[in-house]
Amino acid sequence: MKKLMKNTLVLVVLCTTLLANANAPLSNLNDAKRTMLTLNDVKEGDELLIKNTHGIILYNELIQNSGKYIKGFDLTALPNGDYIFELNKALEIEVIPFQVSNTIVVFEKDKTKTIFKPVIRNNANKVYVSKLSLDQKPLEINVHYEDTEGNEFYLIYEETIENTTNIGRILSLNPEHKGKYEIVIKTEGRTYINNIELL
């Protein structure tokens, strides 16, 4: 009788161990749906987005810590289609395209790219515009002016620069024309706005 109870106890312990181990793969199945995104050299304040092909933002996160970013995303719940991860940094935007098809997520590594943002600086009534454009995409500059009496902004300068890798322009603002200037840069389907006020 003691032997039977001992064997039963061993069998119960064995079954309990098997059940405990059987549950482990189930939790891993949920993890298998998650896509791990690893980004090196992020800075606090960078912005991570997921967008669809229409530019609609499906996910938005402000990076809290500088260094390496690692996070799991369940992208299988997205409808079939093309999407991008976009890491918006101070001077550049990293674009990581991926495709969802019947809950299968495929990253298109050959289409990953970096878009360099235009840099706009104002110094002594001169506006310096510079941008690195490795694909030599056109860049459109528009300057709008609003005088000190609050009249509406109106266009005072426009230019489109094409077929150039290193774009650079110096725009002189007339110090006699006090008021607000709006510098609008359009390139690669994106718009960047910088406001300057001459007092």
Side-chain angles (χ1 to χ4, degrees):
M1 182 74 173
K2 284 185 179 180
K3 189 172 182 182
L4 179 62
M5 287 192 61
K6 187 175 179 182
N7 287 343
T8 305
L9 184 60
V10 169
L11 186 59
V12 169
V13 170
L14 181 62
C15 287
T16 305
T17 305
L18 287 173
L19 284 172
N21 287 334
N23 286 334
L26 292 177
S27 62
N28 289 338
L29 286 177
N30 290 334
D31 291 341
K33 288 184 177 181
R34 300 180 79 74
T35 300
M36 296 305 292
L37 179 68
T38 302
L39 301 168
N40 296 313
D41 264 347
V42 299
K43 301 273 190 249
E44 182 183 348
D46 289 352
E47 187 178 24
L48 180 66
L49 308 167
I50 297 177
K51 293 182 178 179
N52 65 13
T53 51
H54 303 293
I56 295 172
I57 297 171
L58 307 173
Y59 177 81
N60 184 357
E61 177 185 353
L62 204 61
I63 303 294
Q64 300 297 317
N65 299 305
S66 298
K68 187 178 247 188
Y69 173 93
I70 302 173
K71 187 169 185 175
F73 293 88
D74 183 3
L75 304 173
T76 61
L78 292 171
N80 290 350
D82 296 319
Y83 301 89
I84 61 167
F85 274 106
E86 184 175 289
L87 180 62
N88 199 334
K89 298 181 169 185
L91 298 175
E92 62 188 47
I93 300 168
E94 291 181 25
V95 179
I96 307 165
F98 65 93
Q99 191 176 68
V100 178
S101 178
N102 299 322
T103 71
I104 304 295
V105 179
V106 178
F107 280 84
E108 302 173 274
K109 292 182 181 177
D110 57 324
K111 294 183 181 175
T112 298
K113 65 178 181 176
T114 299
I115 299 170
F116 295 96
K117 293 181 177 180
V119 176
I120 304 167
R121 292 184 301 112
N122 177 37
N123 186 15
N125 300 326
K126 292 195 184 304
V127 177
Y128 299 85
V129 178
S130 60
K131 183 182 184 307
L132 181 61
S133 178
L134 299 176
D135 295 336
Q136 299 189 348
K137 298 286 187 185
L139 181 135
E140 183 182 321
I141 302 173
N142 292 307
V143 181
H144 301 89
Y145 171 68
E146 176 188 61
D147 62 28
T148 53
E149 296 175 13
N151 294 319
E152 287 188 25
F153 277 104
Y154 60 92
L155 184 67
I156 60 170
Y157 177 83
E158 63 181 329
E159 178 185 9
T160 299
I161 303 166
E162 298 180 295
N163 304 319
T164 304
T165 302
N166 290 307
I167 297 169
R169 284 292 183 271
I170 301 174
L171 309 173
S172 293
L173 304 179
N174 188 337
E176 294 180 8
H177 291 122
K178 308 296 184 188
K180 297 177 183 175
Y181 292 83
E182 183 181 69
I183 318 297
V184 180
I185 308 290
K186 295 182 180 179
T187 185
E188 301 186 58
R190 298 167 189 270
T191 301
Y192 307 89
I193 299 174
N194 192 287
N195 293 299
I196 296 167
E197 187 166 4
L198 293 186
L199 301 173

